[in-house]
Amino acid sequence: MRRPSMTALLSTASLTLLAGLCHAADPVIADVAPTESMLVVSVKDWAALKAQFDRTGMKTLWSTNEIQALVKELAKDAASGFDEMLQELGVTKDDMVYPSGSIGMAMFFAQSIDAVASQINTLEGDLEIDAILLADFGENADKFADLIEKVCDFASDKHGAEIRQTPHSGHNITSIIRQADAEADTANDEDFDFPGVGMMMPFESDSGAYSIHIVRLGSTYLAGDSLDSVQSAIDRAADAGRPSIAEDTIYIKSLAQHPADAGATVFFRAGDAWKLFATNTTAQQREWDETAPDMTIMFDTLGLLSIQAASFGIRLDTAAAMAEATIGILVPEKKGILSLLSRGTPSFQTPSFVPADVSAISQIVVDFSRIPAIARGVIETLPEDTRAQARMALAQAEPIALPIIEALGSDIYIAQTITQPLSPDSQKTLFAIRITDSLVFTNLATAFGAQIGLQVREFQGTQIFEQDMIGIAGGISPEWLLIGQTPDVEDALRRLSAPGDDQLNAQPEFRSAVTMLRGDAVLNQYQDTERTIRYTIWSLQNADKIVDAQLDALEIDEEFKQQIREARGSDQRDWARLLPPPELITEHIGDTVAELRPTPDGFRGQTLMLRPKR
């Protein structure tokens, strides 16, 4: 893929359209984007969204001297580059104009999805991705027109760019066409390519030339990287009968997974992306093995091709939270691995071994009983010779694996705690899986534990299996399999045998936070912001101590460890000393809760940033 560096000309022209990327659109981007758009970003009303942001308290935090000093330090290189870019264009900061109403973006293949799949299957040529941007400048529309004119004049006079005017359907499209600089970097960069297939991103070409095409529609400006894409968008805006993504069933259903008053949405056509990835993987494998399996069949068996779309939404200053991020996964048929997440738990409850001072806790609800059927289904997608071997391997594994699967419950908990005083090993993680037959796991550990260095001992009527070399232990109680560092496993077993009041589930703050969740979720999460922020800031300011502790834990020559330290130098950054005190952040931001629920149309989830504790 040839991706020349964007010059100041295109960077600024795009920036004025993308500024804030927090705007919604009238006309909305969905009305002008092609039906097969892969990615669509839209914000309904920038003014309303900004007002909501200002009310949350995050603006107050952002405006503090401490945060502004940190931002200034982090952004100093970018700010310098921005100033140079404006100077190259002959534009001042006072000339800059930003949207006051709406904004949107869509990215799509220049060819149809079927044509793209065919091209990927043959591993020939470059895939071309186009983009259109749409922004409403409201009362500043004329000022933006002046800015475009100034940019065009400067680009023509100083950079030799061609400025072309093209009439279309009563509108005038301004095209800024510039050849690559003689020293432009046109080296291949395959970071975003499908293996074996080049991918031409927006604003790039084989020759290194690039262009941007802009048209004014009232107070709204529409821009694209190709003249054809802009002309087609104009036609869709003018004629409601022309198909656009606004009429696409998948797009409509995907956004319906979010609240109607979502201020911003992002849509991704995940189904086609999985299909193209599977097609490419198959083509790559069959270049050296003609009998390689068709990955589209395997992906379908796994349930990945059933995912039609993924989408995200944002709301600010709601009744429940400062900020609410919603997620939608459109997958009406949950099969394959998705069937493991088909049944949620009524409410978010934590077991007695989760302490009150936990920094974060996650619960995942998994239907393990479906694993054997999924495994058999995947095996049947393999070529005949491989399939026979896989069937034999599965038959040999089932006598051991099936009793384990049958003895697993449905709950998985991941609990993080942070011990005081803060140190490189303060953060602890405990994994817990609910079980229905502890004897199965005890017999398994007894039979095979010695092979991996496990030592067994009794602990308060239960058993602990330890691996001293890596400091990991497994504890088996009648209802739980616990995995973590030995002291944490012991503490969890004590709490199970003698539950006390210092458990998370009994804390008013936790109970109040999780009441904001709807329940029946396959994923629940809670994060204590104060504990998490305090450790995060400490770890960033003490990065060298943490790395040194990790090196000390390795059984390698001391001289070699010292060489690593010297080669690494100091990881301490100037910005780390400017990090604000934790109390400043927690004064404005509360705890976080999240959930993901299975629904008839797929999965719907939400993450809530709660208001600070008072």
Side-chain angles (χ1 to χ4, degrees):
M1 174 176 63
R2 289 155 293 281
R3 295 172 54 234
S5 301
M6 293 292 287
T7 64
L9 171 64
L10 288 181
S11 296
T12 297
S14 297
L15 175 65
T16 55
L17 290 174
L18 286 171
L21 225 241
C22 300
H23 298 65
D26 182 17
V28 295
I29 188 67
D31 292 331
V32 299
T35 304
E36 292 187 330
S37 293
M38 296 293 294
L39 177 70
V40 180
V41 180
S42 177
V43 179
K44 291 180 179 178
D45 187 332
W46 162 242
L49 195 63
K50 182 179 182 302
Q52 293 164 5
F53 176 83
D54 292 347
R55 293 196 301 266
T56 62
M58 287 186 283
K59 180 184 178 181
T60 304
L61 175 61
W62 174 264
S63 302
T64 59
N65 293 334
E66 294 88 344
I67 296 297
Q68 286 302 302
L70 176 62
V71 171
K72 182 178 180 180
E73 176 67 26
L74 292 173
K76 62 182 181 181
D77 291 338
S80 176
F82 181 69
D83 290 341
E84 292 177 4
M85 179 180 65
L86 294 183
Q87 184 177 1
E88 181 183 348
L89 282 165
V91 173
T92 68
K93 290 182 179 179
D94 292 338
D95 294 325
M96 295 298 292
V97 182
Y98 300 98
S100 59
S102 62
I103 195 168
M105 179 187 72
M107 295 182 67
F108 44 90
F109 288 105
Q111 313 98 312
S112 68
I113 292 296
D114 290 339
V116 170
S118 177
Q119 188 172 338
I120 289 178
N121 193 45
T122 59
L123 300 177
E124 295 179 356
D126 289 331
L127 298 177
E128 187 176 339
I129 294 181
D130 286 343
I132 55 174
L133 315 171
L134 183 143
D136 182 0
F137 288 83
E139 61 183 14
N140 293 320
D142 290 339
K143 292 182 180 180
F144 186 63
D146 294 339
L147 177 61
I148 292 176
E149 184 176 355
K150 188 172 184 177
V151 169
C152 288
D153 290 343
F154 196 83
S156 177
D157 295 342
K158 300 298 183 180
H159 301 292
E162 177 186 357
I163 309 301
R164 185 183 303 164
Q165 304 293 333
T166 305
H168 183 79
S169 299
H171 301 281
N172 194 50
I173 303 173
T174 299
S175 300
I176 306 173
I177 305 169
R178 183 179 171 188
Q179 296 298 318
D181 295 332
E183 299 179 357
D185 179 13
T186 58
N188 286 347
D189 180 352
E190 299 184 353
D191 289 347
F192 296 90
D193 291 348
F194 284 102
V197 180
M199 186 176 293
M200 305 298 296
M201 299 301 289
F203 307 106
E204 70 175 9
S205 68
D206 288 329
S207 65
Y210 36 80
S211 60
I212 185 169
H213 311 268
I214 307 172
V215 64
R216 181 174 180 175
L217 306 173
S219 63
T220 295
Y221 285 81
L222 178 68
D225 66 319
S226 76
L227 185 61
D228 286 344
S229 64
V230 171
Q231 289 175 330
S232 296
I234 293 172
D235 294 339
R236 295 187 195 98
D239 183 0
R242 289 180 179 266
S244 70
I245 200 168
E247 289 80 42
D248 180 69
T249 302
I250 292 178
Y251 180 78
I252 294 171
K253 290 182 177 180
S254 180
L255 293 196
Q257 293 184 302
H258 302 273
D261 61 345
T265 57
V266 178
F267 164 85
F268 177 60
R269 195 179 295 276
D272 286 339
W274 277 118
K275 176 183 176 183
L276 296 177
F277 179 69
T279 300
N280 180 251
T281 303
T282 302
Q284 285 287 301
Q285 291 179 344
R286 288 183 176 176
E287 273 200 312
W288 54 270
D289 181 5
E290 294 181 354
T291 66
D294 185 341
M295 297 304 293
T296 58
I297 298 177
M298 181 176 292
F299 278 27
D300 183 51
T301 301
L302 288 171
L304 299 178
L305 296 190
S306 299
I307 302 174
Q308 298 176 353
S311 54
F312 306 88
I314 292 290
R315 294 197 303 168
L316 300 176
D317 192 37
T318 67
M322 301 173 57
E324 174 185 320
T326 53
I327 181 173
I329 303 175
L330 189 63
V331 50
E333 181 185 9
K334 299 180 187 66
K335 63 180 184 179
I337 59 176
L338 300 181
S339 67
L340 300 177
L341 304 174
S342 58
R343 294 182 298 183
T345 186
S347 61
F348 190 9
Q349 305 286 335
T350 58
S352 60
F353 62 76
V354 180
D357 62 352
V358 71
S359 61
I361 180 73
S362 298
Q363 177 191 23
I364 308 171
V365 183
V366 181
D367 186 354
F368 290 104
S369 67
R370 298 177 182 268
I371 290 179
I374 296 171
R376 297 186 191 102
V378 170
I379 288 174
E380 294 308 308
T381 69
L382 300 174
E384 186 173 350
D385 291 346
T386 308
R387 188 189 316 148
Q389 297 174 2
R391 284 172 176 167
M392 185 180 302
L394 181 62
Q396 293 173 346
E398 281 183 340
I400 296 176
L402 288 181
I404 295 175
I405 293 173
E406 292 172 356
L408 289 172
S410 60
D411 292 329
I412 300 174
Y413 285 90
I414 305 172
Q416 287 189 333
T417 54
I418 299 172
T419 60
Q420 299 288 337
L422 295 178
S423 67
D425 60 353
S426 279
Q427 191 171 52
K428 313 289 186 181
T429 302
L430 179 73
F431 297 88
I433 305 175
R434 190 184 296 274
I435 58 179
T436 59
D437 189 344
S438 60
L439 185 61
V440 170
F441 296 94
T442 300
N443 292 341
L444 181 69
T446 302
F448 298 100
Q451 300 177 20
I452 57 175
L454 288 181
Q455 297 179 344
V456 61
R457 63 182 172 88
E458 296 292 323
F459 182 81
Q460 294 192 350
T462 62
Q463 288 184 312
I464 289 182
F465 294 82
E466 296 174 296
Q467 222 294 347
D468 292 335
M469 182 177 297
I470 58 176
I472 296 297
I476 302 175
S477 78
E479 295 185 2
W480 294 97
L481 170 62
L482 305 164
I483 301 172
Q485 295 182 3
T486 300
D488 302 319
V489 171
E490 291 178 345
D491 182 65
L493 290 172
R494 289 191 195 98
R495 291 175 177 274
L496 283 171
S497 61
D501 295 333
D502 61 337
Q503 54 181 288
L504 181 65
N505 208 51
Q507 304 309 305
E509 295 87 353
F510 173 74
R511 297 299 343 145
S512 175
V514 298
T515 57
M516 303 298 178
L517 303 177
R518 298 186 179 184
D520 293 323
V522 293
L523 172 65
N524 288 302
Q525 292 181 321
Y526 168 77
Q527 178 179 277
D528 184 296
T529 296
E530 192 277 332
R531 292 185 174 91
T532 302
I533 290 295
R534 188 174 296 278
Y535 178 74
T536 300
I537 291 176
W538 183 91
S539 61
L540 290 171
Q541 292 177 332
N542 294 271
D544 287 344
K545 290 183 180 179
I546 294 174
V547 174
D548 286 344
Q550 293 170 342
L551 287 175
D552 290 338
L554 298 175
E555 295 184 359
I556 57 178
D557 182 78
E558 185 62 34
E559 182 178 351
F560 182 55
K561 286 194 291 186
Q562 186 59 32
Q563 292 175 356
I564 295 176
R565 291 188 178 101
E566 293 174 357
R568 188 185 81 246
S570 176
D571 284 338
Q572 188 70 33
R573 300 288 185 260
D574 289 340
W575 57 265
R577 62 181 172 79
L578 294 175
L579 289 168
E583 295 79 10
L584 177 65
I585 298 176
T586 56
E587 180 184 348
H588 298 90
I589 296 177
D591 296 337
T592 300
V593 290
E595 66 179 350
L596 182 68
R597 299 174 290 110
T599 57
D601 60 1
F603 298 94
R604 301 189 185 195
Q606 60 176 342
T607 298
L608 304 177
M609 180 186 291
L610 304 177
R611 292 180 173 84
K613 303 169 185 176
R614 299 298 183 185

